[in-house]
Amino acid sequence: MFAILLRFIVPSAALHPNVSHTAVLQEQIKSQAFTVLRTKCNVCHATKKRTDIFTISNMDSLAADIQKQVFVKKKMPKGRKIKLTEKETQNLRHWLDATLSQ
């Protein structure tokens, strides 16, 4: 229980000295981007394109397509109801920059 409470206070890298600060930061960026994909993209994909549901494990392999559809072609998200906030856009951009530069 102490380790769980400590995790909220102390960064993961401090609890696991073998994990670099960069790796922890990358996981946080990915997690924030996944939250956007889950809440803004999967809402529609779950009903209309069931084969294209974003998961934490497949999102990196779909990064180039997401970049193209969201930022180049500006086709996603579709419709008028679902819009990305500035923070959500920033979260996606940070993750895409990190993922596509590898």
Side-chain angles (χ1 to χ4, degrees):
M1 173 106 174
F2 180 70
I4 294 170
L5 292 174
L6 192 60
R7 183 169 208 147
F8 290 104
I9 300 167
V10 180
S12 298
L15 291 176
H16 304 284
N18 296 334
V19 177
S20 74
H21 179 69
T22 303
V24 171
L25 186 58
Q26 288 173 337
E27 282 304 310
Q28 290 172 341
I29 291 169
K30 183 174 181 173
S31 176
Q32 291 169 344
F34 179 64
T35 298
V36 176
L37 295 175
R38 183 177 46 80
T39 60
K40 296 292 177 104
C41 304
N42 282 348
V43 172
C44 196
H45 282 239
T47 59
K48 297 181 181 171
K49 295 188 82 174
R50 293 178 187 213
T51 58
D52 295 337
I53 301 291
F54 299 107
T55 66
I56 199 82
S57 59
N58 76 4
M59 64 188 276
D60 286 350
S61 67
L62 299 169
D65 291 334
I66 293 168
Q67 165 77 15
K68 185 169 142 185
Q69 293 299 320
V70 176
F71 296 108
V72 177
K73 292 185 173 184
K74 300 185 188 293
K75 288 187 169 186
M76 296 289 157
K78 281 189 174 183
R80 296 180 200 169
K81 292 181 182 179
I82 299 176
K83 300 289 181 197
L84 297 180
T85 66
E86 186 61 37
K87 182 67 175 167
E88 290 167 333
T89 300
Q90 183 181 21
N91 288 343
L92 275 182
R93 283 189 189 275
H94 284 151
W95 165 69
L96 287 167
D97 289 346
T99 303
L100 296 174
S101 67
Q102 293 177 359

